[in-house]
Amino acid sequence: MHIFNSLSRKKEVFLPIHPNHVGMYVCGPTVYGDAHLGHARPAITFDLVFRYFRHLGYKVRYVRNITDVGHLENDADEGEDKIARKARLEQLEPMEVVQYYTVRYHKNMDQLNVLRPSIEPHASGHIIEQIEMIKKILAAGYAYESDGSVYFDVEKYNQTHPYGILSGRKIDELISNTRELSGQNEKRNSFDFAIWKKADPTHIMRWPSPWGDGFPGWHMECSAMGCKYLGEQFDIHGGGMDLLFPHHESEIAQSTVANGKPPVRYWMHNNMITLNGQKMGKSLGNAMSLDDIFTGNHPLLAQAYSPMTIRFFILQAHYRSTLDFSNEALQAAEKGLKKLLFADETVKKLKPATGAASQNIEAIAKACYDAMNDDFSSPMAIASLFEAVKLINAANDGHLKLNPNDLELLKQLMDVFLFDILGLRAEDAGTDHHLVEGLMETIIGLRQEARARKDFATSDLIRDGLAKLNIVLKDGKEGTSWEMK
RNA sequence: GGUCUCGUGGCCGAGUGGCUAGGCAGCGGUCUGCAAAACCGCGUACAGCGGUUCGAAUCCGCUCGAGACCUCCA
């Protein structure tokens, strides 16, 4: 198993700290707005990692936080954080905002068949842990208090540790490149970052601390909660590439100082989803919410795309590549997914041909595993699954015979990869199968009778009528089958 | 301006120093009452210019183009 480690910018052999156990922390959403397509990418990427490690037999503790404090906005309202601002504008308790969007986030993730993490800690529930960590950093001499806020002393840290180890930044470049921001007079250097921020009297999210009322700096929560649930050093930390600097860089610095060792062995970063070649982001105003996509309710959408189409679309690109949104690409994904899922239905109905020559299904399975073991290359694994689809359909058409062993291997391969590892699922789940099956059987029977009489007007009337309900009939040698479009 | 990444056929997207990625779309055929689905066959792609090499789309250099980060961001 090889993982691309952002720290070394190389693929490295994965060796867990504790054999057969994986500790993984992933930066979750800031719950002040609906989840957009961009949020789906890390959720699905690390869901894939989570699922694959579990499939391999690892015991995984997967921690993904909910950010519900901090994240200062620097532009419009100085020193206010996102959730507080949203709450004030909508006349709500901050925790009402948090609850509302957390519930909606969970709904979207469930739709995408993203498994819930092992632990989903809220930053607001770990203020004490964050304060304790700040104390440790102060005690170690790597932070200073200034007017009720506490800042991390980047320059001092850089004398003994490489600040910029993750992002490739150099401290002297930071000096010349940092923009003028308010509150800098409180800092010794412009690139020092707040680990505790004083709350002004109007700030509605605030907690008492040894330095006065305030709230934790925006990198603290991940350091504190990662350490609490996964230990001072853990295996994998994931998140979007846009978090590399300063968020993850600062996390490394804080944790290293507080605990005396670097916190993470393997850093994994998913790339961005782009729209017309540009990053999709809430602050850029070009983000599409997942609900928009699922309902087709957006000017750029030619149609609605189902959650599984989105999931498959994302899995068809490697997580470290940018992925450009377009209707064409999504429509292709929709059809490809359908083809895979339909082949899985088909393979279950195939009859084995005893004595048929072996088709070397093991080679396909091996290709799937090799792909996953090579930095979770889901696109390669999917390409191999299409090889399997070819065999299944050929067998279904009678061009190919599958011996019992091959057939069993194919069934397992499809089931394991499509559902357990890639986390796909058939989308018509939820309809009343028993009733629908019965109705369809009757309708198809009537149509069959009409066709036998060569009454094609009637048979086409039935087929067209069903087509309006998105039910597609397929006349095959073994009779007529149907599927929901 | 600094740091970094990328540029693959109509579209999306893997991969790699010599052996067909794959999906979608398209064309021809088989099947079908007609379709749909499926199957068979078809496309000589790797930004440009140099260099290394027996051989490069794959390595190196330059040029052009795009993007990310440097400020909250998945």
Side-chain angles (χ1 to χ4, degrees):
Chain A
M1 160 79 75
H2 289 253
I3 293 181
F4 184 91
N5 190 347
S6 304
L7 212 46
S8 62
R9 288 176 208 175
K10 283 197 293 252
K11 282 182 194 167
E12 295 177 10
V13 175
F14 178 72
L15 292 169
I17 294 169
H18 307 289
N20 290 321
H21 288 70
V22 176
M24 175 164 82
Y25 188 98
V26 174
C27 290
T30 305
V31 281
Y32 70 110
D34 275 335
H36 59 75
L37 190 53
H39 290 99
R41 177 95 112 143
I44 289 171
T45 296
F46 294 103
D47 188 50
L48 178 74
V49 173
F50 184 34
R51 285 169 179 272
Y52 190 58
F53 273 124
R54 293 210 315 188
H55 172 75
L56 294 180
Y58 286 92
K59 196 166 184 326
V60 187
R61 180 176 293 165
Y62 172 22
V63 180
R64 188 186 63 206
N65 62 298
I66 296 281
T67 295
D68 56 359
V69 296
H71 284 228
L72 281 172
E73 293 205 84
N74 284 302
D75 34 33
D77 294 87
E78 293 295 344
E80 191 166 21
D81 66 54
K82 287 177 169 175
I83 290 158
R85 180 164 183 234
K86 188 107 190 173
R88 191 175 51 75
L89 292 175
E90 298 183 6
Q91 300 283 312
L92 299 168
E93 273 296 317
M95 282 301 135
E96 271 185 286
V97 175
V98 166
Q99 180 71 7
Y100 179 79
Y101 288 112
T102 301
V103 166
R104 290 173 68 85
Y105 178 76
H106 283 149
K107 189 196 81 187
N108 284 153
M109 293 305 116
D110 289 347
Q111 286 174 305
L112 290 168
N113 207 20
V114 169
L115 297 173
R116 298 285 175 96
S118 324
I119 302 175
E120 199 167 34
H122 285 238
S124 63
H126 297 75
I127 301 295
I128 291 167
E129 286 83 350
Q130 296 182 71
I131 288 174
E132 289 307 307
M133 195 159 189
I134 293 165
K135 283 186 192 163
K136 279 165 94 174
I137 296 168
L138 276 166
Y142 285 95
Y144 55 91
E145 192 185 343
S146 176
D147 190 29
S149 295
V150 182
Y151 294 97
F152 191 88
D153 190 340
V154 172
E155 192 169 45
K156 173 159 185 193
Y157 175 81
N158 193 245
Q159 286 166 9
T160 45
H161 307 79
Y163 186 79
I165 186 175
L166 182 64
S167 58
R169 249 157 262 270
K170 305 242 179 332
I171 195 164
D172 26 310
E173 284 161 5
L174 289 171
I175 294 169
S176 54
N177 284 322
T178 305
R179 208 174 64 169
E180 286 294 312
L181 295 171
S182 74
Q184 284 196 11
N185 43 354
E186 297 167 10
K187 298 187 195 175
R188 289 184 192 161
N189 283 299
S190 58
F191 43 77
D192 288 349
F193 54 89
I195 54 181
W196 184 264
K197 189 81 180 151
K198 176 183 171 180
D200 64 53
T202 59
H203 198 99
I204 54 180
M205 287 187 98
R206 54 200 301 140
W207 290 267
S209 82
W211 316 284
D213 278 10
F215 52 95
W218 51 283
H219 313 304
M220 280 311 302
E221 56 180 280
C222 295
S223 290
M225 299 190 297
C227 179
K228 172 159 182 169
Y229 297 114
L230 297 170
E232 292 180 352
Q233 210 167 30
F234 53 91
D235 298 301
I236 295 171
H237 188 129
M241 268 184 190
D242 48 354
L243 298 177
L244 255 159
F245 188 89
H247 185 54
H248 291 159
E249 194 72 63
S250 301
E251 260 188 77
I252 292 177
Q254 290 167 351
S255 296
T256 302
V257 164
N259 299 325
K261 53 184 139 182
V264 175
R265 298 271 284 262
Y266 303 89
W267 284 89
M268 291 178 69
H269 290 94
N270 62 275
N271 214 136
M272 302 291 105
I273 290 182
T274 58
L275 181 60
N276 296 322
Q278 201 195 23
K279 175 182 162 182
M280 191 179 280
K282 191 171 166 67
S283 51
L284 296 168
N286 65 347
M288 261 178 228
S289 83
L290 289 167
D291 281 340
D292 285 348
I293 292 168
F294 299 159
T295 58
N297 179 29
H298 190 284
L300 288 170
L301 292 167
Q303 59 173 89
Y305 298 100
S306 72
M308 279 309 105
T309 299
I310 297 302
R311 186 174 179 109
F312 187 67
F313 171 67
I314 287 173
L315 290 172
Q316 260 196 311
H318 186 86
Y319 75 91
R320 283 190 287 111
S321 304
T322 54
L323 176 58
D324 199 48
F325 167 91
S326 71
N327 281 291
E328 256 187 314
L330 283 169
Q331 282 160 1
E334 186 178 53
K335 287 187 184 169
L337 171 65
K338 212 163 123 186
K339 191 168 171 178
L340 276 176
L341 292 176
F342 194 70
D344 182 69
E345 303 267 302
T346 305
V347 75
K348 287 173 182 151
K349 295 177 195 152
L350 288 179
K351 304 224 164 41
T354 315
S358 170
Q359 294 300 321
N360 202 3
I361 312 300
E362 288 94 339
I364 297 177
K366 184 177 183 301
C368 289
Y369 280 103
D370 285 351
M372 289 302 295
N373 288 336
D374 183 12
D375 197 28
F376 307 96
S377 186
S378 51
M380 289 285 281
I382 289 169
S384 294
L385 289 179
F386 276 108
E387 298 287 315
V389 169
K390 243 180 192 167
L391 295 180
I392 290 166
N393 286 331
N396 190 232
D397 274 20
H399 298 290
L400 184 76
K401 300 250 184 274
L402 290 169
N403 66 40
N405 185 44
D406 277 358
L407 189 56
E408 192 49 40
L409 286 172
L410 269 175
K411 279 184 198 166
Q412 273 180 26
L413 178 70
M414 294 294 281
D415 264 358
V416 165
F417 266 85
L418 289 180
F419 305 120
D420 296 349
I421 295 174
L422 297 177
L424 302 168
R425 66 177 167 209
E427 300 221 83
D428 56 354
T431 56
D432 185 339
H433 271 285
H434 187 69
L435 178 65
V436 173
E437 293 283 347
L439 289 170
M440 287 307 297
E441 207 175 299
T442 307
I443 294 167
I444 287 171
L446 285 170
R447 179 164 169 274
Q448 212 46 50
E449 212 174 90
R451 291 180 72 210
R453 289 195 311 268
K454 300 224 188 288
D455 178 4
F456 298 123
T458 301
S459 75
D460 286 353
L461 193 69
I462 292 171
R463 188 172 59 191
D464 294 347
L466 290 173
K468 281 179 190 152
L469 302 171
N470 283 332
I471 295 168
V472 183
L473 294 183
K474 298 173 185 177
D475 298 330
K477 284 206 174 67
E478 316 266 316
T480 301
S481 63
W482 64 278
E483 64 169 327
M484 297 289 294
K485 208 175 158 189

